[in-house]
Amino acid sequence: MNAVVLVSVVIPCFNVRAYVGATLDSLLAQDEPAWEALVIDDGSTDGTSDHVARYCDGRIRLIRQANQGVSAARNRGLAEARGASLLFLDGDDWLAPDALSRLLRSLRGHPNAVAAYGAFCFVAEDAASTPPVQVVRCKTGPFPEGDIIERLLVENLFANGGHLLIRANAAASLGGFRSDLRFGEDWEYWCRLALGGDIAVVPGSTPLLYVRQRSSGAYLRMATDPDSFLPCTEAIFGNPELRRRFTPPRLSRLRARTLAENGWIVGREAIRHGKVAEGRHSLRRSWLQNPSAKRAALLAIAYCLPLLPSRWIGPFRPYGGQ
């Protein structure tokens, strides 16, 4: 293949045979054709590779490796990529048909930006990718743009890499994803990326990405455990570039806000998993550490859940629509 590749789409896969077809079909439906897909099968045992191998489009490359984890799979894709930009798409999610063209347009319009991102939606585990898509929840902005490192230190602003297009030269300067981190490895990578330059935002509220909320996903498994956040938080705040960028008092305040935000996530996810008392305790402690009017209202909702209609419970909606 000698055609110009504008976007290298890196797709790490592990036992996603039931979903990866929708992922690849969404690439084939893109209105921007100058892409390549690097499907990294990270030791699947469910026939994922066999399913991917059925696709005869020359832009799709299947690479098999022994199971090493998602970071190693993404890094393998980085090493193989030939495109001018990179997008990390999970093997169970899918893109809107105009996702790549909109992301590319935003990067072209912001020549000093290292990446661009935009709106996305969460969908149920068994959601069909054909319209009309039944969404659980959408994030449509407004999103922070430009120098977003302070916001990104406090919370991971991205669902994953599927709605974030990165310039290949910026990625080359970062090194890879850290394979020693089992949770939050993408957040640590995005923070390094944001330290290197501005992040642009794709205009509009139409989603670029549909994120499947799977019960076996790492986020759902680990986000209720406060200890899951500690290694990635230490890795993020251990970056020497942060100490050059921020004064010690400022960095200490940011870290305190981050720990409070992590606690809020733990509480929210505990409630969504049915651990209501435990979740309320984490939410209350988080609010005391970093109070705000919005979080006070959400905390009140958390304590009134049995009395409220489902349409009012927002971020505390149980997984699976229970």
Side-chain angles (χ1 to χ4, degrees), residues 247-310:
T247 64
R250 178 61 178 160
L251 199 56
S252 179
R253 289 192 295 270
L254 284 170
R255 184 187 178 91
R257 288 176 59 198
T258 301
L259 295 176
E261 182 64 25
N262 290 350
W264 184 270
I265 294 170
V266 168
R268 182 194 68 205
E269 294 302 303
I271 290 175
R272 297 188 73 189
H273 282 82
K275 304 174 183 177
V276 177
E278 180 182 322
R280 286 170 176 165
H281 177 74
S282 293
L283 293 178
R284 184 171 63 252
R285 183 171 54 192
S286 170
W287 182 80
L288 289 171
Q289 292 170 339
N290 189 32
S292 72
K294 180 179 178 181
R295 288 285 167 87
L298 288 170
L299 185 59
I301 289 173
Y303 275 88
C304 297
L305 287 174
L307 307 175
L308 298 175
S310 60

Side-chain angles (χ1 to χ4, degrees), residues 29-100:
Q30 292 298 302
D31 59 9
E32 169 53 68
W35 53 265
E36 67 171 358
L38 302 158
V39 183
I40 316 299
D41 185 354
D42 189 45
S44 295
T45 58
D46 69 341
T48 292
S49 284
D50 293 339
H51 193 74
V52 173
R54 296 175 184 175
Y55 285 80
C56 298
D57 192 296
R59 294 171 294 179
I60 298 173
R61 296 172 55 197
L62 172 62
I63 300 170
R64 297 178 177 90
Q65 65 179 32
N67 181 253
Q68 301 173 54
V70 66
S71 289
R74 289 180 181 135
N75 291 340
R76 178 69 183 275
L78 274 170
E80 300 281 348
R82 303 184 298 114
S85 57
L86 295 154
L87 184 135
F88 296 98
L89 179 62
D90 286 356
D92 48 7
D93 299 338
W94 72 89
L95 297 172
D98 60 352
L100 296 185

Side-chain angles (χ1 to χ4, degrees), residues 7-290:
V7 183
S8 291
V9 182
V10 176
I11 307 175
C13 292
F14 179 71
N15 288 348
V16 290
R17 186 186 188 283
Y19 309 109
V20 71
T23 305
L24 295 176
D25 289 345
S26 76
L27 280 174
L28 294 172
Q30 292 298 302
D31 59 9
E32 169 53 68
W35 53 265
E36 67 171 358
L38 302 158
V39 183
I40 316 299
D41 185 354
D42 189 45
S44 295
T45 58
D46 69 341
T48 292
S49 284
D50 293 339
H51 193 74
V52 173
R54 296 175 184 175
Y55 285 80
C56 298
D57 192 296
R59 294 171 294 179
I60 298 173
R61 296 172 55 197
L62 172 62
I63 300 170
R64 297 178 177 90
Q65 65 179 32
N67 181 253
Q68 301 173 54
V70 66
S71 289
R74 289 180 181 135
N75 291 340
R76 178 69 183 275
L78 274 170
E80 300 281 348
R82 303 184 298 114
S85 57
L86 295 154
L87 184 135
F88 296 98
L89 179 62
D90 286 356
D92 48 7
D93 299 338
W94 72 89
L95 297 172
D98 60 352
L100 296 185
S101 61
R102 291 172 63 201
L103 285 161
L104 283 166
R105 195 177 308 123
S106 289
L107 269 189
R108 292 182 185 121
H110 297 82
N112 294 323
V114 295
Y117 75 112
F120 62 93
C121 290
F122 294 107
V123 300
E125 182 167 2
D126 59 353
S129 58
T130 52
V133 177
Q134 298 297 312
V135 303
V136 174
R137 181 166 52 100
C138 289
K139 290 200 173 183
T140 59
F143 299 110
E145 59 185 322
D147 183 1
I148 69 169
I149 184 59
E150 286 198 33
R151 285 287 304 275
L152 193 55
L153 285 172
V154 174
E155 62 174 319
N156 189 351
L157 299 170
F158 310 122
N160 55 42
H163 61 120
L164 176 69
L165 187 66
I166 304 169
R167 294 191 194 277
N169 57 0
S173 68
L174 293 180
F177 289 82
R178 286 186 51 165
S179 58
D180 60 322
L181 298 176
R182 294 179 56 245
F183 183 75
E185 76 293 327
D186 53 348
W187 181 25
E188 191 275 336
Y189 186 87
W190 312 144
C191 287
R192 280 187 278 139
L193 175 69
L195 280 167
D198 288 349
I199 309 291
V201 168
V202 176
S205 59
T206 304
L208 302 164
L209 173 71
Y210 295 91
V211 180
R212 201 182 296 274
Q213 294 188 316
R214 295 176 57 203
S215 57
S216 61
Y219 185 84
L220 300 195
R221 291 197 317 271
M222 303 179 72
T224 60
D225 181 4
D227 291 341
S228 295
F229 290 84
L230 295 179
C232 63
T233 302
E234 291 299 320
I236 289 167
F237 282 91
N239 188 334
E241 184 59 32
L242 285 180
R243 292 194 289 273
R244 289 190 284 269
R245 179 80 177 268
F246 299 105
T247 64
R250 178 61 178 160
L251 199 56
S252 179
R253 289 192 295 270
L254 284 170
R255 184 187 178 91
R257 288 176 59 198
T258 301
L259 295 176
E261 182 64 25
N262 290 350
W264 184 270
I265 294 170
V266 168
R268 182 194 68 205
E269 294 302 303
I271 290 175
R272 297 188 73 189
H273 282 82
K275 304 174 183 177
V276 177
E278 180 182 322
R280 286 170 176 165
H281 177 74
S282 293
L283 293 178
R284 184 171 63 252
R285 183 171 54 192
S286 170
W287 182 80
L288 289 171
Q289 292 170 339
N290 189 32

